[in-house]
Structures are given as structure tokens and as C-alpha cells.
Amino acid sequence: MTIPSAGEPRQPRQLLQNDPFSQPGYTDNFYDAVGGHETFVKLIDVFYDGVASDPLLRPMYPEEDLGPAKRRFLMFLEQYWGGPTTYGEERGHPRLRMRHMPFRVTPEAKERWLHHMRTAVDALALPPLYEGTLWDYMERAALSMVNSPSEA
């Protein structure tokens, strides 16, 4: 192995002959790896199809049209997973717990939310690693939004 002299550019080193990290099609960006914008639009569309007819969740969306809520959630998820930073540019820091405080989020509401999100995640038919990563986040996020005790 020769050591490059000062000013001589270094050649990138490939660790293994078939190192996937140095292949042109490889990305370490979750957003790109799962299909980018189209994937997240489908996730949001399927999720809000369920929310629209859910008697526990629908009242938490005061706007008659769910379109603005869908757009906000889409922007948030895209930014979180490595896509466009539109959410931060338009709305600033997510402050999720603060933004959800006006709503009574009970353990039952969390379960309904997860039910509709499970349907949406399943609709994506992602490879198991990506599905598991996305679902783990959704479960943790839903749990962190609970701010009220059960109705019972």
C-alpha cells in the first residue's frame, strides 16, 4: 500500500469486494429507502381514511376538512425520516406534546390511533426491517402523546 503524498487526492477505500455501502443505489436515508414522498402520501392517506370515520378520533380534528391535518402530518413525517424540511420551515420545532395538549389523548385514543396507523403501515408492504423501524417509531410516538387517563 502506498501512502499518497501531500496534495494528492485519496482514493475512496472499498472495504469489501461487494460492499453495499459503496454501491451507487445504496442510501442510508430512510425516507429515500422506503420510496420517498409517494410512500408517505400513501401512509397518510390510508391513516386518515380510518380517522375520518372513527368516532373517538375524528372530534380531535376540529377542521371540517382533514386536508390541512394530513398535510401537517405528511410534512412532519417526511422531515423526521430524512425528506424535505418543509415542516420546520413552515411550522418551526414540532413540539408534539405541546401541540397535542389541547386534546384529551387517552389510552383508548392511542389504541384507536395505532389501529388506523397499523392499517396504513401494512398498506405500504415495506420490507420487514423498514416496516419494523417505522412501526416502532409509531408505537413510541403514540404512547408519548397520551395526556389523560382512561374514560372508564
Side-chain angles (χ1 to χ4, degrees), residues 48 51 54-63 66 69 72 99-100 102-110 112-113 145 147-148 151:
Y48 277 101
V51 168
D54 190 296
L56 182 60
L57 296 183
R58 184 59 181 97
M60 291 185 194
Y61 297 87
E63 299 158 314
L66 288 173
R72 288 188 299 269
R99 291 184 196 269
H100 288 82
F103 307 101
R104 185 172 161 80
V105 182
T106 63
E108 294 80 11
K110 174 196 73 145
R112 295 304 306 153
W113 190 93
M145 292 300 111
N147 62 19
S148 300
E151 301 282 335

Side-chain angles (χ1 to χ4, degrees), residues 28-70:
D28 62 356
N29 178 297
F30 187 89
Y31 177 80
D32 292 332
V34 299
H37 180 73
E38 293 76 22
T39 297
F40 284 92
V41 166
K42 182 175 183 177
L43 178 74
I44 295 302
D45 284 346
V46 172
F47 172 73
Y48 277 101
D49 284 349
V51 168
S53 61
D54 190 296
L56 182 60
L57 296 183
R58 184 59 181 97
M60 291 185 194
Y61 297 87
E63 299 158 314
E64 186 175 326
D65 176 16
L66 288 173
K70 288 171 73 169

